[in-house]
């Protein structure tokens, strides 16, 4: 985790808009040959390699909607905002190379706060080998807004869309699910405790993994590299930002197929299992609907199974069926429950709905 820093306050107006942009971006180094022109002109220039496609994705994060600064340190926010975007590029089976970062800030933020935000952005760029090539800076009368555009590239044949899943393909997920959502629940609980008793120290010891997954998620660039090394091309792929059920439904709808997901195969961290027991909530519901895990969900042809089966990062959780069979969770008790968008209901059964 990142460390907190002492706060001094320099008003943004002391630097002016251009001085501020320069101050925040001067230590970013260009790493890619394809970045012909970065920050400093009217637009950035990127060289497109022969036989490669460029991939572009944008996300916007709004204070009060997507993040809460009372428990989200700005450095983490900067890092996470980049991860959210890179994850979409990796979900195309592409490699991200450049980002632009646009921010709207109110004058309640001192220069030091923006420095922290950009430290997080810089850390993400360094670790993920990304060039910051531009953006926009404007003032906001309300909260903080961050909009990032990520640009990547891939060979046309490597691209994995949401619509390529075929009957009998295996459904594979990376990492484990549900931790980021539980991390948020833990942080919100501690915030409420703090509001009642400001002297209370946050008790996060048993939830370190959950909180880390919420505050400092990592995008799965390693999986794109791994699949390439294993010579496995996913037939369809998507990133898990809204929870497993919604992403499974996206793949099935776009590909015109059905799917069976096996409850006992869904990968859960021991801290997720323990915390669900403590909070008396169903861990499967959390994995299906939690969101913000930024793992990848993909389908592969059964022929590729031997190549992935021993890998600790990858778990086969189901298989693709004919569309008319629908999209179902096969529970531990071997009952078949339809997976529905946003809000899988444990009480609803095939016959009862
Ligand atoms: P313009 O007037 O053409 O919009 P700006 O003054 O907004 O230009 O930006 C000057 C340069 O700084 C451009 O290269 C732009 O992409 C970059 N830039 C502006 N704001 C940011 C930011 N928040 N982060 C990174 N680069 C930025
Ligand atoms: Mg501008």
């Amino acid at each position: 985790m990142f460390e907190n820093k002492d706060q001094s306050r320099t008003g943004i107006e002391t630097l002016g808009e251009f001085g501020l942009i320069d101050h925040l971006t001067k230590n970013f180094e260009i790493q890619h040959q394809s970045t012909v022109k970065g920050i400093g002109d009217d637009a950035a220039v990127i060289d497109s390699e022969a036989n490669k496609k460029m991939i572009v994705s944008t996300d916007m994060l709004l204070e009060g909607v997507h993040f809460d600064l009372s428990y989200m340190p700005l450095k983490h926010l900067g890092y996470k905002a980049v991860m959210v975007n890179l994850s979409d590029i990796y979900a195309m089976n592409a490699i991200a190379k450049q980002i632009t970062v646009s921010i709207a800030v109110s004058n309640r933020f001192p220069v030091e706060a923006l420095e922290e935000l950009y430290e997080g952005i810089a850390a993400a760029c360094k670790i993920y080998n990304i060039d910051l090539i531009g953006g926009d800076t404007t003032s906001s009368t309300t909260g903080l807004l961050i909009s990032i555009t990520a640009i990547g590239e891939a060979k046309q044949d490597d691209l994995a869309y949401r619509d390529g899943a075929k009957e009998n393909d295996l459904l594979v997920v990376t990492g484990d699910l549900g931790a980021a959502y539980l991390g948020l629940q833990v942080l919100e609980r501690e915030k409420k405790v703090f509001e009642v008793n400001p002297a209370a120290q946050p008790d996060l010891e048993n939830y370190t993994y959950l909180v880390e997954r919420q505050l400092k998620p990592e995008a799965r660039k390693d999986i794109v590299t791994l699949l390439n090394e294993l010579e496995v091309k996913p037939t369809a792929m998507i990133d898990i930002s809204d929870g497993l059920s919604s992403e499974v439904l996206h793949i099935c709808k776009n590909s015109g197929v059905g799917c069976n997901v096996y409850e006992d195969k869904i990968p859960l961290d021991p801290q997720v299992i323990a915390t669900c027991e403590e909070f008396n909530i169903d861990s499967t519901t959390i994995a299906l609907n939690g969101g913000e895990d930024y793992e990848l969900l993909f389908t592969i042809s059964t022929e590729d199974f031997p190549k992935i089966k021993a890998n600790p990062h990858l778990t086969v959780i189901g298989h693709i069926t004919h569309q008319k069979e629908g999209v179902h969770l096969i529970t531990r008790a071997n009952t078949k429950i339809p997976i529905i968008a946003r809000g899988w209901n444990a009480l609803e059964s095939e016959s009862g709905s």
Side-chain angles (χ1 to χ4, degrees):
M1 299 279 257
F2 298 124
E3 284 157 40
N4 280 329
K5 284 201 311 191
D6 253 0
Q7 285 292 310
S8 38
R9 294 182 64 92
T10 311
I12 291 175
E13 65 288 349
T14 58
L15 289 173
E17 186 193 332
F18 301 122
L20 178 67
I21 296 168
D22 185 51
H23 178 72
L24 293 175
T25 60
K26 62 177 188 283
N27 293 325
F28 282 79
E29 275 169 32
I30 296 298
Q31 332 221 24
H32 294 291
Q33 260 190 348
S34 57
T35 307
V36 179
K37 181 78 195 177
I39 292 169
D41 214 304
D42 297 310
V45 179
I46 300 172
D47 204 0
S48 49
E49 257 182 70
N51 301 319
K52 289 212 171 166
K53 298 290 175 200
M54 294 183 79
I55 325 299
V56 181
S57 179
T58 295
D59 269 294
M60 196 184 279
L61 298 178
L62 265 162
E63 183 178 355
V65 178
H66 302 102
F67 58 89
D68 181 336
L69 289 175
S70 56
Y71 48 69
M72 185 72 159
L74 280 157
K75 191 166 176 178
H76 289 75
L77 179 63
Y79 192 88
K80 182 169 176 174
V82 178
M83 289 308 120
V84 170
N85 279 271
L86 298 188
S87 181
D88 282 321
I89 302 290
Y90 302 141
M92 300 299 289
N93 203 28
I95 291 295
K97 299 240 162 136
Q98 290 93 5
I99 55 167
T100 65
V101 175
S102 298
I103 51 173
V105 269
S106 70
N107 53 15
R108 107 183 127 88
F109 288 91
V111 172
E112 287 76 11
L114 296 179
E115 280 171 2
E116 263 187 66
L117 181 75
Y118 270 74
E119 269 172 47
I121 294 170
C125 285
K126 188 144 187 247
I127 296 168
Y128 286 80
N129 200 25
I130 303 294
D131 291 344
L132 173 67
I133 58 161
D136 199 22
T137 308
T138 143
S139 57
S140 157
T141 49
T142 54
L144 174 66
L145 180 152
I146 308 170
S147 174
I148 297 188
T149 297
I151 299 155
E153 61 176 30
K155 289 192 209 128
Q156 174 158 344
D157 289 345
D158 287 343
L159 283 171
Y161 295 95
R162 295 176 178 185
D163 65 359
K166 303 270 180 309
E167 204 174 335
N168 297 323
D169 280 356
L170 300 174
L171 184 70
V172 185
V173 71
T174 65
D176 54 72
L177 299 178
Y181 174 82
L182 284 179
L184 182 63
Q185 303 313 305
V186 168
L187 288 166
E188 289 197 333
R189 185 177 73 167
E190 292 308 315
K191 183 184 172 184
K192 286 202 186 88
V193 171
F194 182 80
E195 278 166 359
V196 176
N197 174 16
Q201 287 297 308
D203 170 24
L204 299 175
E205 207 174 297
N206 295 330
Y207 315 108
T208 46
Y209 179 67
L210 310 181
V211 170
E212 176 123 13
R213 292 280 285 178
Q214 170 59 221
L215 295 184
K216 194 170 174 286
E218 302 290 347
R220 299 306 306 253
K221 179 188 185 184
D222 60 324
I223 300 297
V224 177
T225 312
L226 175 72
L227 291 174
N228 188 36
E229 282 164 8
L230 296 173
E231 294 180 18
V232 172
K233 194 206 147 181
T235 51
M237 184 147 71
I238 190 167
D239 79 326
I240 306 184
S241 47
D242 294 332
L244 181 63
S245 58
S246 125
E247 318 303 358
V248 170
L249 286 167
H250 279 308
I251 285 186
C252 288
K253 183 164 183 265
N254 289 329
S255 301
V257 294
C259 183
N260 286 331
V261 177
Y262 292 85
E263 183 181 21
D264 63 342
K265 303 285 188 225
I266 296 173
L268 301 171
D269 185 85
Q271 245 180 47
V272 167
I273 297 169
T275 307
C276 281
E277 274 171 22
E278 185 196 335
F279 290 8
N280 200 19
I281 40 183
D282 178 40
S283 56
T284 304
T285 307
I286 298 304
L288 285 172
N289 301 315
E292 291 203 287
D293 289 314
Y294 301 107
E295 295 294 342
L296 295 172
L297 178 73
F298 58 92
T299 51
I300 58 167
S301 134
T302 48
E303 284 145 44
D304 283 334
F305 177 63
K307 299 185 202 165
I308 67 132
K309 73 172 182 199
N311 197 290
H313 296 285
L314 307 175
T315 312
V316 177
I317 58 167
H319 59 86
I320 300 297
T321 61
H322 192 280
Q323 188 168 31
K324 70 176 191 310
E325 292 187 44
V327 183
H328 289 94
L329 180 76
I330 313 297
T331 67
R332 287 194 189 86
N334 207 24
T335 53
K336 220 172 160 184
I337 296 174
I339 291 176
I340 51 167
R342 293 225 160 252
W344 166 74
N345 186 344
L347 299 174
E348 186 187 35
S349 72
E350 180 84 296
S351 53
S353 58

